[in-house]
Amino acid sequence: MSIKTLVIVCGFLAISRALENISVSETTHKDQNDNGNVQEVSNNLEHFESNKKFQDLLARMEHLEAREKSREKTYLKQLNSLRRQLVIQARRTASLEGKVRRLSNKSPDSLKQELKKTDSKDTSNDSNGRLRHAPIESREEVQTQRIRRAENENPVAFFATLSQHLTHVGAHQPITFDNVVTNIGNAYNSHFGSFIAPVSGTYVFSATLFSHYHTNYHAQFVKNGQAITTMYVSGSEAGYDTTSQTIVLQLQKGDDVCVQNYDTDRPVYGYNYSTFAGFLLQEDMSSSAIVGR
């Protein structure tokens, strides 16, 4: 073999080795790029998942904050209502104590003189212009009512909450507010969720109802089995909802009042969010004696 041919062969071998080195280098660089791309995609996925979890956490915190604000407003309304009721009861108690003290300090003769003064006021003119005294029955009725008012007028008030959730409540089923906080006069029955008037008079009732998450339902104030009003609790849009209603009723002794569910198979939110309260505003002294006397 000549020197020229040997040089050519050596050149070809060098070129071939250089090409192989270039190919190996490109393959290694490509593998490194592929590994870098995979790592970058993995990092992006982890970042996306972290952002999603963070957004979900923010949404839950906003929902909890809105729910707490709603609870705070409900509690403030209930506290204001209870404060007003306490003021009314305190005034009535002070008035009754004053009447009892005045009656206990008077002798029978002074009571008769006071009745005579009342009789002198209860007169009118007949067709001839002469004075006509009130009938004896009216004087006796006034005296009886005064005695009964002093002896029998007692405060009547109750306040109860729903401690546990009620599920699958049937149509026209009474809501049993089982957690009794106040029951002056023992007129409220927590087992049946009903109030039975111990005396005839004017009563005030109030109810606050809370909905389960994305749940709607109707409820009614019911007197002696007859619906008086209707309440609607809508939680379908806001998630949770609350409604309150206050009514004034003229009741006879023995009438019962309760809050009933109106729809079929509905849940009522408990945990003391739903409440039922009432009190005697003014007793009717023309009726018969108190139940149980």
Side-chain angles (χ1 to χ4, degrees):
M1 181 181 294
S2 64
I3 296 175
K4 184 177 181 179
T5 302
L6 183 60
V7 171
I8 292 172
V9 171
C10 291
F12 277 118
L13 290 175
I15 292 172
S16 176
R17 289 179 180 178
L19 291 174
E20 288 179 357
N21 292 332
I22 291 173
S23 177
V24 171
S25 176
E26 289 179 351
T27 302
T28 303
H29 182 68
K30 183 178 181 181
D31 292 339
Q32 292 177 354
N33 289 336
D34 292 340
N35 291 332
N37 292 334
V38 171
Q39 185 66 31
E40 184 178 358
V41 171
S42 178
N43 292 335
N44 290 335
L45 289 175
E46 292 179 356
H47 182 67
F48 176 76
E49 292 178 354
S50 299
N51 286 338
K52 185 178 179 181
K53 291 180 180 179
F54 182 70
Q55 291 176 358
D56 292 341
L57 181 61
L58 285 179
R60 290 182 60 186
M61 291 178 64
E62 291 177 355
H63 174 70
L64 292 174
E65 185 178 357
R67 187 173 66 180
E68 290 301 324
K69 288 182 179 179
S70 177
R71 291 178 180 176
E72 184 178 357
K73 291 181 180 178
T74 302
Y75 288 150
L76 289 176
K77 289 181 181 179
Q78 293 176 356
L79 286 174
N80 291 332
S81 177
L82 290 175
R83 287 171 181 170
R84 289 194 295 269
Q85 294 178 17
L86 287 174
V87 171
I88 293 173
Q89 292 299 330
R91 292 175 180 175
R92 287 175 57 83
T93 302
S95 176
L96 290 173
E97 290 176 351
K99 291 179 181 179
V100 171
R101 285 195 297 269
R102 288 195 299 271
L103 289 174
S104 62
N105 293 330
K106 289 184 178 180
S107 62
D109 294 336
S110 62
L111 288 175
K112 290 180 181 180
Q113 292 178 359
E114 184 176 350
L115 289 174
K116 288 180 180 180
K117 292 180 181 179
T118 304
D119 293 340
S120 64
K121 295 180 181 179
D122 295 334
T123 57
S124 59
N125 294 331
D126 59 12
S127 58
N128 297 324
R130 292 174 297 182
L131 291 176
R132 182 176 58 193
H133 292 276
I136 296 177
E137 291 80 9
S138 63
R139 295 198 299 269
E140 293 177 353
E141 183 179 356
V142 170
Q143 183 179 7
T144 302
Q145 289 183 6
R146 287 184 176 179
I147 295 174
R148 287 189 54 229
R149 184 180 294 275
E151 293 180 352
N152 297 334
E153 189 177 58
N154 293 318
V156 178
F158 76 97
F159 173 64
T161 66
L162 186 62
S163 63
Q164 300 295 328
H165 297 325
L166 296 180
T167 58
H168 308 292
V169 183
H172 306 293
Q173 176 180 340
I175 300 174
T176 55
F177 299 87
D178 59 309
N179 181 32
V180 179
V181 180
T182 303
N183 196 8
I184 301 174
N186 295 320
Y188 176 73
N189 190 320
S190 61
H191 299 288
F192 299 99
S194 62
F195 171 85
I196 300 178
V199 295
S200 299
T202 304
Y203 291 81
V204 179
F205 298 94
S206 176
T208 298
L209 299 175
F210 201 78
S211 72
H212 277 264
Y213 189 63
H214 287 303
T215 302
N216 303 336
Y217 67 94
H218 293 79
Q220 293 178 322
F221 269 112
V222 177
K223 170 189 172 184
N224 296 333
Q226 299 295 324
I228 304 297
T229 64
T230 301
M231 295 170 277
Y232 181 58
V233 189
S234 175
S236 60
E237 296 181 358
Y240 293 94
D241 187 35
T242 183
T243 186
S244 298
Q245 196 171 80
T246 301
I247 63 173
V248 180
L249 294 177
Q250 186 71 30
L251 300 181
Q252 298 298 319
K253 178 183 63 178
D255 288 345
D256 66 272
V257 177
C258 65
V259 178
Q260 290 185 1
N261 176 59
Y262 180 77
D263 302 312
T264 303
D265 192 17
R266 286 291 186 270
V268 181
Y269 202 93
Y271 292 169
N272 302 321
Y273 282 90
S274 300
T275 64
F276 182 32
F279 61 92
L280 173 64
L281 181 63
Q282 184 176 5
E283 182 178 348
D284 183 5
M285 287 301 172
S286 63
S287 62
S288 57
I290 294 179
V291 173
R293 284 185 175 268

